[in-house]
Amino acid sequence: MALFDQLRHEAVQERQHQCVDVRAVDIGIGHDDDLVVAQFGDIEIVVDSGSECRNHRFDLGIGINFIETCFLYIQDFSTQRQDRLRCTASRGFCGTARGISLDQEDLTVFRILVGTVCQFSRQGHTVQCGFSSRQVTRFSCSLSRTLGKQGLFNDRFCDSPFDYYLKTTKDWLVQAPVLDSYGTSAPYINGGDVRNQGIEMSLNWSDHVGDFTYGINLNLSHNKNEVTRIANSEGIIHGSPNILSEGTTEMYRAQEGYPIGYFYGYKTLGVFQNEKQIAEYSGAKLSGAAPGDLIFADMNGDGVIDDKDKCMIGNPHPDVTMGLTFNFGYKGFDLGITTNAVFGNQIAKSYRSFADQPKENYTTDILGRWHGEGTSNRLPRLASGTNTNWLYISDIFIEDGDYFRIQNITLGYDFKRLFPRIPLGQARLYVTAQNLATFTKYSGMDPEIGYGADKSWVSGIDVGFYPSPRTYMVGVNLKF
């Protein structure tokens, strides 16, 4: 009981110290963004009016967050070691209304309705914008050393947080799809709701053997993205055509029950090799099929290949992202290695330049196309014009985007160790290699693709993305 009472007393003292810090009110006003932040107990309120009259732009944001923290102490009095398990649960929301372009002196009416639209009236004309809100629930645990001489595993394993989060974006702001005759800029509307949930964790280990020191840091995250509501009767926000190349069909969309911006098209079953195979094929096929044409899958089994057979053929969002770093030191030498990796995502890859002409440039993949019986069962015969093989978006354009990249390697030596009398705190010479190697099965130039064509909510489309360069540098660090 004495040990329990002591731990409880220390926990109460720690909590009281936390409350003193949290209950302090901190209010500040920025010159450009007019940001106000206030904290009362375990409630944090943020208001960002972002009024920039010089740029004729008005932004509004407000947020509130409820936080609760508890601590679990593990103490060994024989070694004076105390470790702390810190758990935090929070739930909050924030909202923004952005992108209003009006002159300050002509702004006569302003009304904002949370979750709907805000209206600005100017000289008899009304300009609309959207108001979007986000609800975030997060549970976080962190295991670390707090007091005493040693931490967990003799102070080798420390500061390792684990987070679970659930983030829901309500009334997601998106530009409305309108005809070109509408004008030069489509209005923003509340397109629907998007949910992201996942985990984030970090493991840190450090140790030494004599003069040799080393440290390892691993960061892992997993996120699941899903559109839970689209604000129209169809439940879909359609993507644009002509993205991978001229004449290609819609290849991405936002749809209820699917990841946002998922790749949409036909699944294929191979390539017709000869006339006999076409004649004997019992499944659905396009009229006029010829040797070298794709075999499209009849997904709904109605005996016809049409738009009803299109489905999800890829997801640009990774299942897992990872960062792994190593640090080594020995008698003035230091070596640092930084790597990152992505697993579980797909990339949509174009095989040619945009224009649909026979003499336009293609990637070397086209050399593996079908050009006779048995030459290919994936890429169809080469054709231009209205040929469906290359204009219909299908899984022949989709590849796995997994990769592991050695992002940075730095080797250095501090000559202060060799010449301790030099009048410098440090005289370090180092060499660095960036983007040294990438391990991937993706056939494009670089698997790190963020391009989303003409939509901010789309990613993973490779239309000739220039790869990150490999660079080598030599440098000196001097500290006086």
Side-chain angles (χ1 to χ4, degrees):
M1 290 297 293
L3 176 61
F4 175 78
D5 291 340
Q6 180 176 348
L7 293 178
R8 182 177 60 181
H9 176 69
E10 292 177 355
V12 169
Q13 286 185 330
E14 177 71 18
R15 181 58 180 159
Q16 289 175 345
H17 177 68
Q18 288 274 330
C19 290
V20 171
D21 290 341
V22 172
R23 293 182 187 278
V25 178
D26 179 16
I27 298 179
I29 299 179
H31 177 70
D32 292 327
D33 296 330
D34 292 339
L35 177 65
V36 179
V37 179
Q39 290 185 330
F40 304 91
D42 291 338
I43 302 177
E44 180 182 70
I45 302 176
V46 181
V47 180
D48 180 8
S49 63
S51 178
E52 301 179 16
C53 300
R54 291 170 298 177
N55 297 327
H56 310 291
R57 182 180 178 86
F58 186 89
D59 298 337
L60 174 67
I62 184 170
I64 186 170
N65 195 34
F66 299 90
I67 307 170
E68 184 61 37
T69 303
C70 64
F71 300 88
L72 174 63
Y73 290 88
I74 305 171
Q75 179 145 3
D76 186 342
F77 293 102
S78 63
T79 61
Q80 295 298 312
R81 184 185 73 192
Q82 185 179 73
D83 301 306
R84 180 178 71 173
L85 178 65
R86 179 179 185 270
C87 295
T88 301
S90 64
R91 180 174 178 83
F93 72 88
C94 63
T96 57
R98 306 186 63 84
I100 309 307
S101 299
L102 286 177
D103 294 332
Q104 179 76 8
E105 60 271 20
D106 294 329
L107 188 61
T108 56
V109 178
F110 169 66
R111 182 177 75 234
I112 187 164
L113 304 175
V114 176
T116 56
V117 299
C118 55
Q119 295 182 341
F120 293 80
S121 297
R122 174 192 174 188
Q123 298 178 352
H125 302 283
T126 300
V127 179
Q128 291 185 333
C129 76
F131 187 91
S132 175
S133 64
R134 295 180 177 88
Q135 297 179 357
V136 181
T137 300
R138 179 177 289 269
F139 176 79
S140 173
C141 277
S142 177
L143 182 61
S144 64
R145 186 192 71 167
T146 57
L147 298 172
K149 297 179 180 179
Q150 294 178 322
L152 192 64
F153 295 108
N154 294 323
D155 202 20
R156 299 185 183 94
F157 184 76
C158 60
D159 295 332
S160 299
F162 172 87
D163 288 354
Y164 167 79
Y165 62 88
L166 175 62
K167 173 185 175 182
T168 302
T169 300
K170 297 285 188 179
D171 300 313
W172 160 48
L173 289 176
V174 62
Q175 276 191 299
V178 296
L179 297 175
D180 292 340
S181 58
Y182 180 88
T184 58
S185 180
Y188 279 88
I189 62 172
N190 294 118
D193 302 340
V194 182
R195 181 177 63 205
N196 286 277
Q197 61 179 332
I199 59 174
E200 298 174 349
M201 63 179 298
S202 177
L203 299 176
N204 302 280
W205 181 275
S206 62
D207 197 6
H208 69 91
V209 180
D211 292 330
F212 178 72
T213 62
Y214 68 92
I216 302 174
N217 173 260
L218 173 65
N219 294 291
L220 288 173
S221 65
H222 165 72
N223 181 74
K224 182 180 180 181
N225 172 277
E226 182 180 350
V227 177
T228 57
R229 183 182 68 89
I230 295 294
N232 59 34
S233 58
E234 191 179 13
I236 299 172
I237 296 179
H238 290 275
S240 303
N242 304 306
I243 297 299
L244 279 186
S245 56
E246 184 181 23
T248 51
T249 55
E250 174 190 7
M251 62 171 297
Y252 60 80
R253 53 173 48 182
Q255 183 175 356
E256 293 177 359
Y258 290 87
I260 191 170
Y262 77 92
F263 298 131
Y264 176 75
Y266 292 98
K267 289 188 175 181
T268 60
L269 303 175
V271 176
F272 285 120
Q273 298 297 318
N274 51 51
E275 293 287 357
K276 181 180 179 181
Q277 181 186 6
I278 297 173
E280 295 177 352
Y281 185 70
S282 59
K285 58 181 179 287
L286 295 174
S287 60
D293 285 345
L294 288 172
I295 306 173
F296 294 106
D298 182 14
M299 298 301 295
N300 63 355
D302 62 357
V304 179
I305 301 298
D306 55 20
D307 286 349
K308 297 178 182 178
D309 296 306
K310 294 181 179 181
C311 60
M312 177 175 170
I313 57 175
N315 182 2
H317 306 289
D319 294 328
V320 176
T321 57
M322 182 188 76
L324 181 63
T325 61
F326 302 89
N327 296 284
F328 306 95
Y330 181 73
K331 293 185 176 181
F333 287 96
D334 63 89
L335 174 65
I337 303 174
T338 302
T339 68
N340 67 295
V342 167
F343 305 104
N345 66 308
Q346 284 76 48
I347 297 173
K349 174 189 170 184
S350 176
Y351 293 99
R352 61 181 172 87
S353 59
F354 183 78
D356 184 23
Q357 301 294 332
K359 294 183 179 181
E360 291 292 333
N361 287 332
Y362 286 79
T363 66
T364 55
D365 300 274
I366 207 66
L367 299 176
R369 74 193 185 282
W370 187 94
H371 54 278
E373 185 173 345
T375 53
S376 175
N377 198 40
R378 172 175 168 78
L379 297 182
R381 61 189 174 95
L382 187 60
S384 61
T386 58
N387 189 280
T388 56
N389 291 322
W390 299 98
L391 298 186
Y392 282 10
I393 295 297
S394 67
D395 56 11
I396 70 169
F397 296 99
I398 306 299
E399 295 187 26
D400 289 336
D402 302 349
Y403 72 87
F404 178 85
R405 170 170 289 168
I406 302 177
Q407 190 171 5
N408 185 288
I409 294 181
T410 299
L411 175 64
Y413 180 74
D414 186 3
F415 284 89
K416 181 71 173 179
R417 291 290 299 266
L418 188 61
F419 306 105
R421 294 185 177 181
I422 60 176
L424 295 172
Q426 183 186 57
R428 178 174 174 263
L429 175 68
Y430 67 90
V431 292
T432 295
Q434 295 180 342
N435 296 315
L436 187 62
T438 301
F439 303 93
T440 181
K441 293 184 178 179
Y442 178 61
S443 63
M445 292 185 288
D446 193 329
E448 194 171 1
I449 303 296
Y451 179 69
D454 59 345
K455 299 292 189 297
S456 61
W457 45 272
V458 182
S459 62
I461 299 177
D462 188 356
V463 291
F465 182 76
Y466 195 80
S468 300
R470 181 182 298 127
T471 58
Y472 300 94
M473 296 184 295
V474 178
V476 177
N477 293 132
L478 299 177
K479 293 183 179 179
F480 296 92

